[in-house]
Structure formats: C-alpha cells, structure tokens
Amino acid sequence: MNLYIKQFNNISIGDFQSVGGKNSYLGEMFSKLSSNGICVPDGFATTAFAYQEFLTKNSLHSGLYNLMNQLDKTNYTNLEETGLKARQLLLDATFPETLQKEILCAYKNLCGDDTYSAVAVRSSATAEDPQEANFAGLHDSYLNITGEEALIIAAKKCFASLFTNRAIKYREDNSFAHEKISLSVGIQKMVRPDKASSGACFTLEPEPGFRDVILISGVWGQHENIVQGMVTPDEFFIFKPTLIQHKNAIIQKKPGKKEKQEEFVLADGEITQLANWALVIENHFQKPMDIEWAKDGITNELFIIQARPETAHSQKNPLLVKAYASSEKGEMLTQ
C-alpha cells in the first residue's frame, strides 16, 4: 500500500481525512460515476500522511506551532506577518526523497510518454469532521503545470498555502486546531478551457435556493475570470422536472458581458448534457451541489473538474419565506 499517493480510481468520499474534501469528491466521481457517462479528468492525490511526513523530515511542527501561538487572536494585527513566516518555512523546506519519487512516478504514469503533458495542481485540506469543514477558496491551485520540476514546485506551494492569511483566520474563527489540518495535493490531467469555455453549475437556484432549477454559468476561457470578477458569465436556467422527462428543459438563457458576446459559450445540447450530469451528481451525493465544468477546446469534450456540497442555501428550509424572533418573554399559560 502506498502511504504517499492515492489514485483517483482508489479514492472515495470516505477518504476525506486522507485526501481532503476536494480530492475525495473528485475520486468518488471518477471511480463511481464514469459509468454514467460523466467525464472527470484522471489524476492522483498526495495523502495527509505525505504532508505530515514533509513536516517531520524538515522539523517544521514546532516552528509552525509556535508561530500560530504567537498570533494575535483578538485583533489579528500580526496575521499578515505570521502567515508570511509560516508559508516561508514550508517553501524553504525540501521534499523527502521518497515522496518526491512517488509523485514523479505517479505523474509519469498519468501522462504516459508525454512527460510535458499539462496538469492542474490543486490544494485539498483535510479535517476530522468533513460535515463541519468548508475550506473552499482558502488554499491555492495551479493550472497548466508542465514538467517534473514545475510540478514539485507547485506541490510545495500548495502545501504552503495551508497557511494563507484567509486560511489561518478561517481556522481560528471555526475553532480548528492548525496542527490537526493537513494538505493533500491533487494532480489532475489538464483540460484546455483556455481554447473553449468553463464555468460553474448549481443544482439549485443560488439566490432563492429554489430546488427545481439548475443554474449553469460560463465564460470563454478559464472559470477564474468569473471568480475574479473580470467578466460577467452567460447564465442558463434548466427546469429539473422537465429535464427528468427528457424534454427541452432550458427555460432561460442570459448572455453575459464577455468576448464574443453574440455567441453563447455552450450550445443547447451541451447545456442539457451538463444539466443531466448535475442531476446524476446531486442524486449520487444526495445533496445540492456546487460543480465546476470545463470544455476542452482541442477535443471539444466537456468535463467535470470539481464538485462540492452547496452550503449557502441548501441547509435552509425551502418552505420558509421569512423567520421572526422575539426578544420578549410571553406569559406562561400552562405548565
């Protein structure tokens, strides 16, 4: 058994503590939903053990622990300085020889003869209780990484991103012990949306939380353009009950402000295909999902590149319009 690496086809949702939330959902979809026609790029993940071994071999545990203890936990006046020092500790360290060898061996097996095949290198934090942890957007990921040296550098940067300022603050706000969180690195075959399009898909309508609508958004190029607010995406609304009946379920298409504004980033058939995949993913995980998709501009194939539970609206009561609370105590009528 390899303690440092887990292949996507050997990862399930139960591996949260080993490979983190992002990688456990990717592995679950790759291993369980490929038979449903859902395309997830292949890959592998380093384990929590690999991260802890990295800290141990470089004698970093005590240094990181002392830095976190020196943090001003009232006003966070030294958060930026503390985060910078913590990240630098990891960036100055070296990968244990065995770990580096295992990563490069898995990379070679993933890419085959094309040793300069591009990969995405993504951070995936672990926690003891996945139900309480929502680490989305706290740690760094790197796209279009090619070559062995660049891969190792990107993996180390992912390790260091466990101590971004926002990640440190999130753990403090949510009472996560810093030393109990590890970082798994997911290395995944790169899809080329830079030559096509990419975006997000919610299996409910995000604003009101309406469960019978799927919302797909997309832009030309990388999805990060949406996140960074550089462009306004196209939006497509799909009605689930009609989709389930295998009828035309697209109820609205809203053009965004982007390059090639007169042309939507997805054709109707592609919209329907993504919506059907979203239904399968939601049914599999039994909860509303926040999904990222990408279209490869070279092969014209669609892929699911990430998925996580939707947390902003799915936990609300869909029948509740507004809740009121009174600060006054009423008169007791009976006991």
Side-chain angles (χ1 to χ4, degrees):
M1 183 174 116
N2 194 320
L3 296 175
Y4 297 100
I5 300 290
K6 287 181 77 74
Q7 301 292 332
F8 276 6
N9 61 4
N10 290 322
I11 293 175
S12 70
I13 196 63
D15 290 313
F16 191 98
Q17 292 184 37
S18 176
V19 298
K22 185 180 295 183
N23 287 332
S24 61
Y25 275 96
L26 274 172
E28 177 81 9
M29 289 190 297
F30 183 85
S31 59
K32 304 286 177 59
L33 299 183
S34 294
S35 58
N36 292 83
I38 295 177
C39 297
V40 177
D42 196 4
F44 62 94
T46 64
T47 62
F49 176 86
Y51 171 78
Q52 292 298 327
E53 187 79 351
F54 171 76
L55 297 187
T56 299
K57 294 292 185 181
N58 289 280
S59 303
L60 296 179
H61 283 101
S62 60
L64 290 170
Y65 184 81
N66 291 336
L67 276 174
M68 294 303 104
N69 274 348
Q70 294 166 14
L71 184 66
D72 172 11
K73 299 178 182 179
T74 303
N75 299 311
Y76 294 97
T77 55
N78 63 344
L79 174 60
E80 187 172 346
E81 176 189 0
T82 301
L84 181 61
K85 288 181 177 179
R87 293 192 297 276
Q88 200 60 52
L89 279 179
L90 276 72
L91 292 173
D92 289 341
T94 57
F95 267 37
E97 184 178 348
T98 305
L99 172 57
Q100 180 164 320
K101 182 180 177 181
E102 293 292 344
I103 291 174
L104 295 181
C105 180
Y107 173 57
K108 185 176 180 180
N109 290 336
L110 177 66
C111 298
D113 294 333
D114 186 3
T115 54
Y116 279 84
S117 179
V119 292
V121 184
R122 306 181 189 278
S123 299
S124 179
T126 72
E128 291 184 358
D129 186 356
Q131 302 303 319
E132 297 179 2
N134 179 17
F135 298 133
L138 298 179
H139 312 105
D140 296 338
S141 296
Y142 300 90
L143 305 178
N144 290 312
I145 300 300
T146 59
E148 295 181 349
E149 183 180 358
L151 174 60
I152 295 301
I153 291 172
K156 189 191 293 187
K157 286 181 177 179
C158 285
F159 277 0
S161 76
L162 191 60
F163 293 92
T164 62
N165 300 343
R166 59 190 182 275
I168 294 171
K169 180 68 162 52
Y170 176 86
R171 292 195 294 270
E172 288 292 339
D173 289 344
N174 292 275
S175 301
F176 285 107
H178 298 284
E179 65 274 13
K180 291 188 177 181
I181 307 296
S182 294
L183 200 289
S184 166
V185 180
I187 291 93
Q188 184 181 35
K189 281 187 175 180
M190 187 70 206
V191 179
R192 296 297 303 271
D194 55 308
K195 295 181 177 295
S197 57
S198 60
C201 175
F202 295 90
T203 61
L204 47 63
E205 193 174 4
E207 289 305 318
F210 183 51
R211 299 287 183 91
D212 277 346
V213 164
I214 294 170
L215 169 62
I216 298 173
S217 62
V219 295
W220 298 113
Q222 300 285 1
H223 175 235
E224 281 71 14
N225 294 336
I226 301 178
V227 178
Q228 296 168 5
M230 297 171 63
V231 294
T232 303
D234 290 345
E235 291 185 336
F236 311 102
F237 296 83
I238 301 94
F239 192 50
K240 283 183 188 176
T242 308
L243 185 68
I244 292 169
Q245 296 173 7
H246 306 291
K247 297 179 180 178
N248 183 8
I250 303 170
I251 54 178
Q252 187 179 13
K253 298 195 294 186
K254 294 171 61 177
K257 295 179 180 179
K258 60 192 186 320
E259 293 183 17
K260 296 189 279 185
Q261 291 191 35
E262 300 302 316
E263 183 181 350
F264 284 109
V265 299
L266 293 169
D268 286 3
E270 294 171 326
I271 296 167
T272 301
Q273 180 179 342
L274 282 175
N276 278 312
W277 285 1
L279 269 185
V280 172
I281 293 169
E282 180 181 57
N283 289 336
H284 181 78
F285 292 112
Q286 291 293 296
K287 60 186 71 172
M289 299 295 290
D290 173 357
I291 300 163
E292 290 184 24
W293 62 270
K295 181 179 178 179
D296 192 302
I298 298 173
T299 65
N300 288 323
E301 293 177 282
L302 288 171
F303 292 90
I304 300 298
I305 55 173
Q306 285 191 58
R308 65 183 71 87
E310 197 284 334
T311 56
H313 297 279
S314 60
Q315 296 173 5
K316 296 178 181 179
N317 182 345
L319 302 178
L320 182 65
V321 177
K322 194 168 185 178
Y324 297 89
S326 173
S327 59
E328 299 180 5
K329 294 187 71 173
E331 179 184 354
M332 182 181 290
L333 300 178
T334 184
Q335 188 171 8

